[in-house]
Structure formats: C-alpha cells, structure tokens
C-alpha cells in the first residue's frame, strides 16, 4: 500500500511540475535579440543559382541601412522596411539573419531528444526557432494572413559569433543569404 501511495505522490508531483528543457537558459541568453551588436557594417549577398546580388548592411543604434545597386538605399527601423510611402512589417531583422539574435524571451519552449523548439505567436506570424544540441538550426515562419511559409536553415556559426550563410526557402523558391565580410 505504501508503494502505491508513493507512486501516486510521484505522479502528482510530475504532473504539476513545470517543464524545463536542459540548456534552455543558455540558449535564451546566447540567442536573445539583446546580444546583437549595437552597430556593425556587413557586406552580404543574396545568391540564387548563378545570380548573386551584393548588399551593404549597416546598423547604427538600432537603425539599419541597406544598400544595393538594384534597390538603392533602404531604411529599416523596428522591423519595418519602408520604401517611399509603403512600409512592410518584416518577420526577421538583419540581426536575426546574421547573428541568430531572434529570441525575445516570451517564447514557449518544448524539448525532446536534444532538440529545443521555442514558439511564439504574435497574431501576424507563427514563429518556431529550432535548436539542436544548443545550436540554432532552423527557423520556421508562418504568415497567418497570407498562409505563406518561410524556412531559414542556418549553417555553422563562426567563432566571431555570426552565420556565414543561411538558406532561405519560400515555397519552391530557395536562395542563400551569405555574409561575405563583417566589421564591428
């Protein structure tokens, strides 16, 4: 009878205990939006097959300037890319692509077998950040209004703390976002 009582108490404690994923705090601190540099300059390129579009990205105190010969100069502030009078709410900023600085801290974690998934639903986008063995591997973004699905697959992180390449897939279209040079 004592064994049954102990088993019941153990099951009750297990059912009421909050789920804590191993390595969750470390991932949150390494991949928080707060850890991205306050300013940097980067030469990046978008590559699709043999086409390569070079771009210049500059961040200065939270404001991004993007330049390329194809688009001219574009400004990005607080997740909004404004072109003339039209502004687009982007699901990810250059810090997220370059440094993997994605997490706000309010994401819900789930974990299994060395994988931790942080999920956030902000009514516009459903975001899933997938980490394997403590490293960012994939981001899945779902535009809830348009039903579009975007997947970002991250390569190896450099010792300087940025990603040299990220594969971006939007439906059947895939291209690479490459960091060719970075200065802090």
């Amino acid at each position: 009878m004592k064994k049954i009582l102990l088993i019941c108490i153990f099951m009750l404690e297990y059912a009421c205990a909050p789920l804590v994923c191993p390595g969750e705090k470390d991932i949150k601190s390494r991949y928080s939006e707060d850890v991205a540099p306050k300013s940097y300059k980067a030469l990046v390129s978008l590559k699709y097959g043999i086409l390569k579009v070079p771009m210049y990205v500059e961040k200065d105190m939270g404001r991004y300037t993007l330049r390329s010969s194809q688009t001219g100069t574009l400004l990005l502030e607080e997740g909004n890319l404004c072109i003339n009078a039209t502004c687009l709410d982007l699901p990810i900023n250059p810090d997220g692509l370059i440094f993997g600085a994605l997490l706000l801290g309010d994401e819900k974690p789930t974990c299994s077998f060395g994988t931790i998934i942080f999920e956030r639903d902000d009514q516009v986008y459903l975001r899933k950040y997938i980490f394997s063995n403590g490293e960012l591997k994939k981001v899945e973004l779902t535009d809830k209004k348009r039903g579009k699905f975007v997947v970002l697959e991250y390569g190896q992180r450099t010792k300087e703390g940025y990603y040299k390449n990220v594969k971006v897939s939007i439906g059947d279209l895939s291209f690479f976002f490459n960091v060719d040079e970075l200065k802090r």
Side-chain angles (χ1 to χ4, degrees):
M1 192 66 171
K2 288 182 183 182
K3 289 181 182 180
I4 293 174
L5 181 62
L6 280 170
I7 290 172
C8 288
I9 291 172
F10 177 72
M11 289 176 64
L12 180 64
E13 285 181 8
Y14 181 75
C16 296
L19 176 65
V20 178
C21 298
E24 177 184 337
K25 287 183 181 181
D26 181 48
I27 289 172
K28 281 185 175 181
S29 66
R30 286 181 56 206
Y31 293 96
S32 167
E33 282 190 349
D34 297 335
V35 300
K38 301 294 180 211
S39 61
Y40 61 85
K41 296 175 183 178
L43 293 174
V44 301
S45 59
L46 301 176
K47 190 170 182 197
Y48 178 71
I50 60 170
L51 297 174
K52 186 175 180 180
V53 178
M55 296 179 71
Y56 174 77
V57 178
E58 181 177 354
K59 180 181 178 186
D60 187 28
M61 302 310 289
R63 184 175 177 172
Y64 303 92
T65 304
L66 310 171
R67 290 188 193 104
S68 79
S69 58
Q70 286 76 15
T71 62
T73 300
L74 304 173
L75 298 177
L76 178 66
E77 277 188 81
E78 297 177 12
N80 294 317
L81 175 65
C82 295
I83 305 167
N84 297 328
T86 305
C87 289
L88 304 169
D89 179 24
L90 299 178
I92 192 166
N93 62 29
D95 289 346
L97 284 170
I98 296 171
F99 298 100
L102 300 160
L103 301 176
L104 295 176
D106 61 350
E107 295 85 4
K108 294 177 182 149
T110 56
C111 52
S112 66
F113 305 111
T115 301
I116 299 178
I117 300 172
F118 290 93
E119 192 172 320
R120 182 172 74 233
D121 185 351
D122 62 10
Q123 307 307 319
V124 178
Y125 296 103
L126 175 62
R127 306 158 194 256
K128 290 184 181 179
Y129 308 107
I130 302 166
F131 295 84
S132 179
N133 298 319
E135 296 295 322
L136 178 62
K137 295 298 178 190
K138 188 187 287 189
V139 174
E140 296 176 351
L141 304 165
T142 305
D143 184 336
K144 294 173 76 173
K145 290 182 181 177
R146 295 185 192 108
K148 300 241 181 198
F149 188 68
V150 178
V151 176
L152 308 172
E153 296 177 61
Y154 287 78
Q156 288 294 110
R157 193 173 188 170
T158 66
K159 61 183 177 185
E160 293 85 15
Y162 67 92
Y163 291 91
K164 282 190 126 346
N165 58 32
V166 177
K167 181 181 179 183
V168 181
S169 301
I170 305 169
D172 294 337
L173 175 71
S174 293
F175 62 91
F176 287 91
F177 176 86
N178 298 316
V179 178
D180 302 320
E181 187 179 326
L182 181 79
K183 294 179 185 178
R184 294 185 192 207

